[in-house]
Amino acid sequence: MRIVRSDWANTILVCKKCSKKLGGGFGPKGKTSLAKALRHDLGVRKGRKGALGIIEVKCLGVCPKGAVTVVNGAKPGEWLLVAAQSDVAEIADGLGLRGVVVRAAAEV
């Protein structure tokens, strides 16, 4: 067995199927996926060296109309249905990510 280090303080799962159905649905033109928009808004790098893991998963099985399903790894019992064109900054605040990214960056 081998262990690989990660700098993640938390993990966010975003349904890729929901994002695809919306054609992105976020960002200024409404064509950016929620995962990309969150990474950009929070200034998080992609991959295991980022302060936070934002992962697109195949399907979470909820399939809401006009929304994307999001799961915060710190609160797996609460799944969020994020409507298209929602403010990405408000989504990040609602998930409690601002403090996580700041703390993780300070620890590095």
Side-chain angles (χ1 to χ4, degrees):
M1 177 172 32
R2 207 172 136 197
I3 297 173
V4 178
R5 187 182 61 82
S6 170
D7 294 337
W8 295 357
N10 196 353
T11 305
I12 303 298
L13 305 177
V14 179
C15 183
K16 190 172 190 173
K17 187 175 178 182
C18 293
S19 291
K20 188 175 180 180
K21 283 183 180 181
L22 291 177
F26 298 90
K29 294 183 180 179
K31 294 187 178 187
T32 307
S33 72
L34 179 57
K36 266 189 180 177
L38 279 171
R39 273 190 216 105
H40 183 266
D41 184 67
L42 294 168
V44 176
R45 295 186 335 180
K46 192 172 182 181
R48 64 186 181 87
K49 293 188 178 181
L52 176 72
I54 300 175
I55 305 294
E56 286 187 303
V57 294
K58 286 188 178 189
C59 184
L60 291 169
V62 178
C63 303
K65 290 187 179 186
V68 178
T69 306
V70 179
V71 180
N72 183 342
K75 299 177 185 176
E78 299 175 13
W79 291 26
L80 301 174
L81 304 179
V82 180
Q85 296 297 322
S86 295
D87 183 37
V88 179
E90 287 180 17
I91 297 167
D93 291 339
L95 288 167
L97 300 180
R98 296 243 183 252
V100 170
V101 173
V102 171
R103 278 194 311 271
E107 291 172 1
V108 172

